[in-house]
Amino acid sequence: MKVLIIGAGTGGLALAHLLKQAGVCIAVYERDFAPNADTGGYRVGISPAGSRALKACIPGELYDLYVATCARSPRYFNMLTEQLSEVLSFDVDAADPNALDGEKNVVRKTLRRVLLRGLEDDVFFGKALQGYTSNADGSVTACFQDGSLARGDVLVGADGTSSTVCKQRLPDARLEDTGIVSLGGKIPMSAETKALLSDKMFKGMSLIMAPMGFGAIIHSLEFADSRSDPGFASRWPDFVEALDEDSIGWGIWGARQNCPRDPSGLNGQQLRELGLELAQDWHPHLRALIHMTEPSTIHDVKVRTSVPPTPWACSNVTLLGDAVHTMTPGRGAGANTALRDAALLGRMLVEADRGRRPLVEAIHAYEIEMLRYSTEAVQESKKQMDANDLAHRPIIGTVQLAFMRSVMRTVNAIPALKRRAFRQMMRVRGEN
């Protein structure tokens, strides 16, 4: 069996590794022209469930490299007011001490570089898909914009949001605008910038709940231990310079109707000014982070979500990751769900390759299960970022915010409720 994978993102590369280790012939086609192309975004959060899925896909040596190139794991998940008062805080180590390697922060470009290792002869760059054709003999042919063709037994669309494969495979599938606009940037970590964060903020991930439905995220990335570890340099000398510099990242979002102007199309300087305007009544430390951020690092982010599709007739063309279930970053579940897809689809294809079940039946089993958990993740993620939510309205939003903060403070004070809330949060990110 030969599997064609369209897209060299996190999910597509994880799937490629699993299949290659099982002896399945694979070829990955990526529209970027080079491995080091900017894949967008700064940081991706990998939950313990995401790490387990990744570990099931890639060789042990490569998993060690993944762990070594991650930033220091966040110790806390904090929910704060815009004045940095705590309403709820989870101690991740205490809540889940047995989690595999804990919560992870990794730079997206570095993760891609890690996952490309060992696939140098299997990934073809500069290959933008034009479409595919299903052949009379049951095979499928991928047709690329440069006129080249590739033939295989299975085609997997792992080509992200606005997937070319999805547009042909599921023409009725659609994305919808959440009505939420977002911008964010990052700033080098220094004694001055570190002093702007409390100890829990510095050691964790913090979400800000502000009036009128506005929200923000603050996270710190530290790679100092890996850079100074002689064992890292001797084991992976070609990755020392790939480690990102220590930094503090921030993002702000809110309903488009409540923003003084849409961030789309604004340059870095204009985005910084907009960020300061949105945070004008927030804690001075939050405003200082935005003010000190180099404009070239500030970008707007489109917050869209897929509309969960109904089950479809199965074939030897299937989808994984954002290609079929783009979700908002509201629950941090996107990359983790893609890794879950890769591990599940990989297992099903290996079973088919070894004759344990028919190919289309194996793909159907994957799609039914994938649709079940991804639909929940999409819906839960949208709840956190939907401009139609009452939180974005002037009067009732104020009442709702006060109520939510009160409930969270109660949960924060009662250990049993806190454990339950933590389990619910992690379930959307793949934990059973």
Side-chain angles (χ1 to χ4, degrees):
M1 182 166 68
K2 182 174 183 179
V3 179
L4 310 179
I5 301 171
I6 309 301
T10 301
L13 292 175
L15 173 64
H17 275 290
L18 190 157
L19 295 176
K20 185 172 183 177
Q21 288 185 96
V24 178
C25 182
I26 52 115
V28 183
Y29 300 92
E30 169 58 43
R31 61 174 171 255
D32 287 344
F33 284 95
N36 60 352
D38 188 350
T39 57
Y42 305 113
R43 176 200 66 90
V44 59
I46 306 295
S47 69
S51 286
R52 285 194 293 272
L54 182 59
K55 190 170 188 177
C57 292
I58 64 178
E61 165 78 11
L62 204 59
Y63 186 81
D64 291 344
L65 176 57
Y66 151 71
V67 172
T69 53
C70 287
R72 165 185 45 79
S73 292
R75 171 73 184 269
Y76 301 98
F77 277 123
N78 307 306
M79 301 294 294
L80 310 172
T81 72
E82 78 283 3
Q83 300 302 327
L84 300 186
S85 297
E86 179 179 301
V87 293
L88 179 60
S89 181
F90 298 109
D91 184 331
V92 178
D93 288 353
D96 193 4
N98 298 315
L100 175 68
D101 295 314
E103 189 76 19
K104 292 296 181 190
N105 280 327
V106 62
V107 175
R108 194 178 299 271
K109 288 172 66 173
T110 305
L111 178 59
R112 181 194 235 189
R113 181 169 173 175
V114 169
L115 295 180
L116 284 169
R117 197 178 181 95
L119 297 176
E120 291 83 359
D121 297 330
D122 305 296
V123 181
F124 303 91
F125 289 92
K127 294 292 184 179
L129 187 74
Q130 183 171 311
Y132 65 85
T133 57
S134 296
N135 305 315
D137 63 357
S139 64
V140 61
T141 299
C143 311
F144 300 97
Q145 291 180 9
D146 63 4
S148 61
L149 305 173
R151 192 181 185 99
D153 300 292
V154 179
L155 186 142
V156 179
D159 45 345
T161 303
S162 302
S163 160
T164 301
V165 179
C166 185
K167 288 175 183 176
Q168 183 174 344
R169 183 71 182 86
L170 303 175
D172 294 330
R174 61 189 180 91
L175 293 167
E176 64 180 14
D177 185 0
T178 62
I180 297 294
V181 295
S182 176
L183 64 146
K186 67 175 182 178
I187 183 169
M189 191 178 293
S190 65
E192 184 180 10
T193 57
K194 184 178 175 180
L196 298 174
L197 307 182
S198 68
D199 185 62
K200 277 191 174 182
M201 290 180 70
F202 176 71
K203 293 179 179 177
M205 181 94 55
S206 300
L207 294 177
I208 310 296
M209 302 168 59
M212 290 297 291
F214 283 101
I217 185 171
I218 307 293
H219 55 79
S220 60
L221 299 181
E222 272 195 307
F223 302 90
D225 289 345
S226 294
R227 277 197 301 271
S228 61
D229 181 5
F232 182 96
S234 62
R235 192 173 180 185
W236 301 291
D238 55 326
F239 266 82
V240 174
E241 84 334 329
L243 293 171
D244 202 42
E245 293 300 315
D246 297 350
S247 62
I248 297 171
W250 59 268
I252 299 178
W253 59 86
R256 183 178 288 109
Q257 69 266 20
N258 294 332
C259 287
R261 54 192 179 280
D262 194 320
S264 300
L266 300 183
N267 62 35
Q269 179 63 36
Q270 293 168 326
L271 288 171
R272 185 169 68 177
E273 292 170 359
L274 176 59
L276 289 170
E277 189 172 354
L278 295 175
Q280 60 183 335
D281 297 322
W282 294 11
H283 194 283
H285 286 185
L286 294 176
R287 291 178 48 79
L289 274 178
I290 300 171
H291 179 74
M292 295 168 65
T293 304
E294 171 61 39
S296 63
T297 73
I298 306 177
H299 302 280
D300 69 289
V301 180
K302 293 180 175 61
V303 183
R304 295 182 292 171
T305 184
S306 59
V307 177
T310 55
W312 55 85
C314 192
S315 75
N316 60 342
V317 177
T318 191
L319 301 152
L320 69 74
D322 286 349
V324 65
H325 48 63
T326 292
M327 58 192 75
T328 81
R331 289 283 190 172
N336 296 292
T337 309
L339 288 170
R340 188 174 183 177
D341 293 350
L344 175 60
L345 177 57
R347 290 198 305 272
M348 294 298 101
L349 292 178
V350 170
E351 286 196 11
D353 181 61
R354 294 176 177 171
R356 295 173 183 163
R357 65 166 75 191
L359 174 61
V360 173
E361 179 185 305
I363 293 175
H364 179 66
Y366 156 72
E367 290 178 344
I368 291 298
E369 176 65 6
M370 177 270 291
L371 281 174
R372 181 193 66 76
Y373 61 71
S374 68
T375 296
E376 179 186 19
V378 167
Q379 292 171 342
E380 289 297 320
S381 297
K382 184 183 176 182
K383 287 179 183 178
Q384 306 300 309
M385 289 187 164
D386 185 352
N388 293 319
D389 191 86
L390 297 177
H392 302 282
R393 299 184 184 179
I395 299 175
I396 195 169
T398 302
V399 175
Q400 179 174 307
L401 178 62
F403 176 75
M404 287 178 61
R405 287 177 174 177
S406 177
V407 169
M408 287 185 177
R409 287 189 174 103
T410 300
V411 171
N412 203 35
I414 302 175
L417 292 179
K418 200 169 180 177
R419 288 192 296 270
R420 182 177 177 181
F422 182 80
R423 287 196 299 269
Q424 171 62 19
M425 179 182 73
M426 296 305 292
R427 186 172 65 83
V428 178
R429 306 183 74 219
E431 294 292 335
N432 293 324

